[in-house]
Each structure stands twice: as C-alpha cells, then as structure tokens.
Amino acid sequence: MATKKVIALIRTSTEKQEVESQKKELLEYIKADGVKAENIIIVGHEGASAIKVDEAYQRNMNEVYSLIDGGNIAAVYAWAIDRIGRNEEVLLEFKNKLIKCGVQLVIQKPSLRLLDVDGSVNSGIELAFSLFATIAKQEMETKKARFARAKKRNTEQGRYNGGKVHFGYTVNEEGRVIVNDEEAALVRLIFELYKSGEYSTTTLTKELQSRGDKMRGKAISLHFVTNMLKSTAFIGYTEYKGVKRTYPRIISDETFNEVKARLTANHKGDITRQSKHTYLASKLIVCPECGRHWFASNRSYTCIGHKHHGKGLQGYETCPNGDSIAVEWVDVAAWSVAKQCEMDYIYNFTEDKAEQAQKQIEVNNQKIETLKERISGMDARRQRIAEMYINGEISKTEQARQSEKVKTDTAEYRAQIVALEEDNKKLNEIAQFDKEGTLMLIRLGRLPISGIYEDTENAYRITHKYIKQIMVEPYEYNGKTQKMITIATVLGDVRRLLYIAKSKVKKDGQIFKLFYQSGDEFLPLYATKDHVPPFVQD
C-alpha cells in the first residue's frame, strides 16, 4: 500500500510577505511530525488573496481539493487558519470536506488538530475552527472597509489608486496624479477649437486627424473628442458612485461651461453624423412642440425628440410631434428665401444695412452680458437656498426643487448665449460685407447663386448666413390639413410658404408643391425661375 502524503498549504497574498520564511517554518513543523520530505506536497501560488478570493487563490484550493479527491492524502498542514482563507463560507466548506474524506487538518499557529487519533472529529477544535471562521469574516470585512476608506481618501487627495490614468494626466513617483503637459496641450486645443463655434464634434475630429494629432499613439476618434469635451476632470474633479476624485485643473470653468452650453445646444439641435447629402435646412427647423431641431432621415425632416424615442436620447422627454416633411421641398423653400436675401443684399447693399447689422450685434452683446450677469448671480442664489435650508426656513424637498430650478435656469441662460453668439457671427458677415468684391466674383462666375443650388456647399453657407429659424406646422387649407413653412431671417424678416403634398399644379411638366400667399389666395412658387414670395410681418 502506497504511503499517504500530506499537503503543505502555503498562501501569500503579496510578494512582500516572507514566502520562504513561512514555507521553511511550516516544512520543519511537518517533518517534526515524522513526515518525510518526499511525502510532502507543497501547494501555493504567490499573490493569492483570501479576501478577494481571486484566481490564484482559487487555483490553490482547486489543487488541494483535487489531491484530496485522489484518496492518497493523510493531512493538510497550514501555518495558520487564515492561510487557508478569510471567507467564512470557504473555511467551513473546507473543514466539512476534510471531515467527510477523513483527512486531518493541522494548524501550526495556534497548534490545532481537527481529528483525534481514532479519526473522530474533536468537537472542541471544530468549535474553535468555526469561531475563527466567524472572526476571520469580521476581520475581512474590517479590512475591506479600511481599504475602501483609504482608496476614497487617496482618490479625494488626487492620489493614484490603480487602473487607467485619465487622458491629460500622468502619475508621479509619489503616486500623485499630475498634469501631462503634452496631453494637456491637446486637451486645451480641443476645447478652444470647439468653443470657437467653427466646428461640430465631427468636423473637429476630422481637423485633429488632419493635423496628425494622436490619442496616446492611436488615431483620434469622435468618441474620444466628445468624451474630452464632457469630462469634468479638466476642471478639477470627477464623481462616480459618490466618490469624488480630484485632478489638477487644465481648463477654466468659463471655458468648460461655454463648451457645455454649445454641446447642449447642438445636442438639442441634431445628432452629428456623416452623410453624402447636403441638407440646407439642417439645424434650422425648430419643432413647435419641444423646441428641438428636426433632422433629415429617409428623405424627410422630422423631430429628433420623436425619432429617437426609446433609443437613449438622454436628458430629454420624448416629443409627441411625429410630423415630417419632404427634404427637397423644405430645402427649396429655404434656398429660395436665402438666395433672394443674398441677391437683394448684394445689389441693394448700403451702409444703412451694415449699420443695421452692427446695431443688432450690439443689442445681442447687451443681451449676452445680461445673461452672464444672471449666471453669476446664480452662485448667490445657491448660497441663499442652502442658508434657508440650514436655518429651517424651507424643507429638504423645497431645497432640492429650488436647487434644480437654479441648475435648469443656468443651463438655459448658457444656451441662449450660444444662440446669440451664433447670430452675431451671421450678422458680422453682413456688417463686414464687401459689395464691390462680391459683384466682381458674380461677374466672373465665381459665386453661383442663381437657379436651384447646384453648388450645395455655397448654398448651405448662404442659407445659414441669412436664415435664423424654420418652423413647420399644420395648416388648414381648402378643408384639408397641409403644412405651413415659416422662415425667419437674421434681420427679423419672415416669409411663409404653404406646402401641399398632393399638389397637382404643373408648369413645364413639373409639379410644384410650394405656394406663397397673395391677398386671399396662394400662388405657386416657381423656385426654378427665381420667383420668391414677398416678406410678411409677424
């Protein structure tokens, strides 16, 4: 009959622990029990954590169980009970396994033997083992809580706790998160370019790619750019599951808030996506129900709030407006108005128009300053709400309601600032207009603005230069519901066009679906013949 062997179970959770010292001491203890060296099987993987019950620990225990199931193990030796484990359930399961298989458990410190000489269970030792298992569980929970507190404290103090380091930062020799100057320069560039208003997140991504900028050696993606623009790490903190991590500041609050407002306005407007088509009315059509923009999908414009129902459009309620309108006819309507505005402006340009645009810019700037003052006043308002709650003047529920109102108002003011700044860009182009230079380009054929928009890029620029907003609403005409397209320009002029989807009006074999109002009747708009409707007043 083969001599049975014993297992020397050695577990060390870190490399810093005295692995060899523990191993040597346990082996000497086993040999003192009369066990020869060739009958000792050493089981142990460095890095095995009894608290985490990690992969290394599981390999240890699986190997022990496998050897026991082989039927040739007389005993398992361990330096201490916590070397077996710190999980109460694991310890009790291990004890019961040994009892069932008749395998002795010998603990060196304190000196314990689970089975008596006759193979029966020593009730006192079993009780002590169970008691230790309970104590081990409590110690494990205490350690976990201590680790969590230390991790939270380190996080709040800006110390590195492991894991991926946020872009823009690195870790110094003291374990503190510091600014990575090279990456921070790219972060500042991304914010400044987007803040300028010249780029969407998509066009900004393309611009950075064309410059050869990289994200830690990888090509810059739209996802990366969007996440950078939204990350609060750059203004000093991030917050996750109630734990606030501090970071060295890279971006000012003012810049971050301007970018946030622009992102919100663009999100409210449209979802940026690549397209082979140029949609002239893109980001100009405003939903009469929810105020968000309509976007082009399947040859029709429709409200983004309704289109993305159930698809995770965060922060917005679903819009009930499921209406839509053909892209081609809205774009024809928009172009007919924008083109005439451009032609009128070119041929009838006077200094008065430039002055009018400049005056509107000044009015907008005054509004912007007023909005900024309101935003600045929000800090005092927040402080007042907090004081009222502390003094018992308002309930916790009322404090939450008022605080949320402050947050909502602030976001709205910032969105209004972005809209006014966009208007100013269009107005500034008018105010700085070069009439003689533009007429020369037209004569040379370098500025095509006649007929339907063959030059879609130029048409888009002109359309967005003059048109401030388009609204599509139901309109009763001849007992049927049609659609009224209302187009407002940046100088306050308004034009309205009736869209009849099933129109039978033809000219030169072409059906026309747009009509302008003349007195009590609607006349067809022959956009291809440069026929445009007159302005009407709100």
Side-chain angles (χ1 to χ4, degrees), residues 56-93:
Y57 176 82
Q58 290 174 5
R59 287 204 307 271
N60 277 353
M61 299 311 294
N62 288 340
E63 187 175 346
V64 171
Y65 280 127
S66 178
L67 289 169
I68 291 172
D69 289 338
N72 194 37
I73 300 299
V76 175
Y77 284 78
W79 187 73
I81 295 180
D82 65 359
R83 298 301 86 190
I84 301 171
R86 293 182 182 272
N87 184 294
E88 182 180 26
E89 183 179 343
V90 170
L91 284 170
L92 294 179
E93 180 185 354

Side-chain angles (χ1 to χ4, degrees), residues 150-186:
K151 186 173 182 179
K152 182 179 180 182
R153 183 174 60 253
N154 287 339
T155 296
E156 292 173 345
Q157 293 176 353
R159 291 184 178 276
Y160 179 60
N161 271 322
K164 186 177 180 180
V165 179
H166 197 292
F167 189 86
Y169 301 93
T170 187
V171 180
N172 66 11
E173 294 178 354
E174 298 175 355
R176 290 189 176 276
V177 177
I178 61 173
V179 173
N180 180 316
D181 291 335
E182 183 178 349
E183 293 182 356
L186 179 57

Side-chain angles (χ1 to χ4, degrees), residues 1 37 87 111 136 139 234 249 286 332 367 402 411 466 493 536:
M1 182 176 179
N87 184 294
S111 181
E139 288 181 347
F234 304 130
R249 182 183 291 271
V286 176
V332 164
K367 291 179 179 179
Q402 291 190 26
Y466 289 102
D493 300 313
V536 296

Side-chain angles (χ1 to χ4, degrees), residues 257-531:
N257 289 332
E258 286 186 36
V259 165
K260 182 179 179 181
R262 194 172 294 282
L263 280 170
T264 301
N266 287 345
H267 190 182
K268 198 171 183 180
D270 204 351
I271 288 180
T272 303
R273 48 167 60 86
Q274 299 294 322
S275 174
K276 63 182 180 180
H277 301 291
T278 298
Y279 300 106
L280 297 194
S282 173
K283 297 187 179 182
L284 292 177
I285 309 176
V286 176
C287 179
E289 288 285 344
C290 69
R292 278 167 272 174
H293 284 151
W294 288 20
F295 79 114
S297 176
N298 297 326
R299 297 185 180 180
S300 296
Y301 286 114
T302 186
C303 178
I304 190 173
H306 179 81
K307 182 68 177 179
H308 287 263
H309 171 56
K311 294 187 179 180
L313 191 63
Q314 296 181 346
Y316 301 104
E317 294 181 359
T318 301
C319 178
N321 186 5
D323 210 352
S324 63
I325 188 169
V327 164
E328 59 178 316
W329 291 105
V330 179
D331 283 4
V332 164
W335 175 237
S336 69
V337 173
K339 177 181 63 177
Q340 191 60 41
C341 286
E342 178 81 334
M343 294 295 290
D344 288 347
Y345 195 80
I346 292 171
Y347 288 105
N348 301 315
F349 178 81
T350 64
E351 291 301 323
D352 289 342
K353 287 194 175 183
E355 289 176 7
Q356 180 185 359
Q358 188 59 47
K359 286 180 180 179
Q360 186 61 50
I361 289 173
E362 291 171 1
V363 170
N364 287 353
N365 286 338
Q366 185 178 356
K367 291 179 179 179
I368 289 171
E369 289 305 313
T370 300
L371 289 167
K372 286 182 176 179
E373 289 175 6
R374 290 179 182 176
I375 291 173
S376 297
M378 289 298 170
D379 289 335
R381 188 171 165 188
R382 289 189 193 92
Q383 183 63 31
R384 175 57 183 155
I385 293 170
E387 290 174 355
M388 290 170 65
Y389 174 66
I390 292 172
N391 296 332
E393 298 176 40
I394 58 175
S395 65
K396 186 174 182 178
T397 302
E398 180 61 17
Q399 180 214 16
R401 188 192 68 79
Q402 291 190 26
S403 297
E404 183 62 28
K405 181 68 164 56
V406 169
K407 183 178 178 181
T408 302
D409 288 349
T410 302
E412 180 60 31
Y413 294 153
R414 286 182 177 136
Q416 289 179 31
I417 289 173
V418 170
L420 288 167
E421 288 175 342
E422 291 295 329
D423 278 353
N424 279 352
K425 287 179 182 178
K426 297 177 180 180
L427 290 166
N428 190 61
E429 188 173 349
I430 294 172
Q432 303 298 324
F433 179 67
D434 178 9
K435 179 177 180 179
E436 293 304 318
T438 303
L439 288 172
M440 179 64 70
L441 289 175
I442 292 174
R443 286 193 290 271
L444 294 174
R446 295 178 185 174
L447 189 64
I449 55 173
S450 60
I452 290 294
Y453 46 91
E454 291 89 359
D455 182 353
T456 54
E457 184 176 344
N458 188 57
Y460 184 91
R461 180 188 65 79
I462 293 172
T463 300
H464 284 252
K465 173 181 175 182
Y466 289 102
I467 295 180
K468 180 178 181 179
Q469 176 180 295
I470 300 174
M471 192 167 287
V472 179
E473 299 175 278
Y475 185 84
E476 292 297 323
Y477 180 69
N478 287 343
K480 294 183 179 181
T481 302
Q482 309 295 346
K483 292 182 177 67
M484 182 63 73
I485 303 172
T486 303
I487 302 175
T489 70
V490 294
L491 292 176
D493 300 313
V494 177
R495 291 180 181 178
R496 295 188 179 92
L497 294 168
L498 179 66
Y499 171 71
I500 301 178
K502 296 183 178 181
S503 169
K504 296 181 180 180
V505 176
K506 291 185 177 182
K507 186 175 180 65
D508 298 331
Q510 183 177 354
I511 295 178
F512 291 91
K513 300 184 179 184
L514 293 174
F515 301 80
Y516 71 95
Q517 190 168 11
S518 177
D520 295 331
E521 61 179 338
F522 284 93
L523 303 178
L525 171 67
Y526 299 117
T528 55
K529 299 301 181 183
D530 297 332
H531 190 173

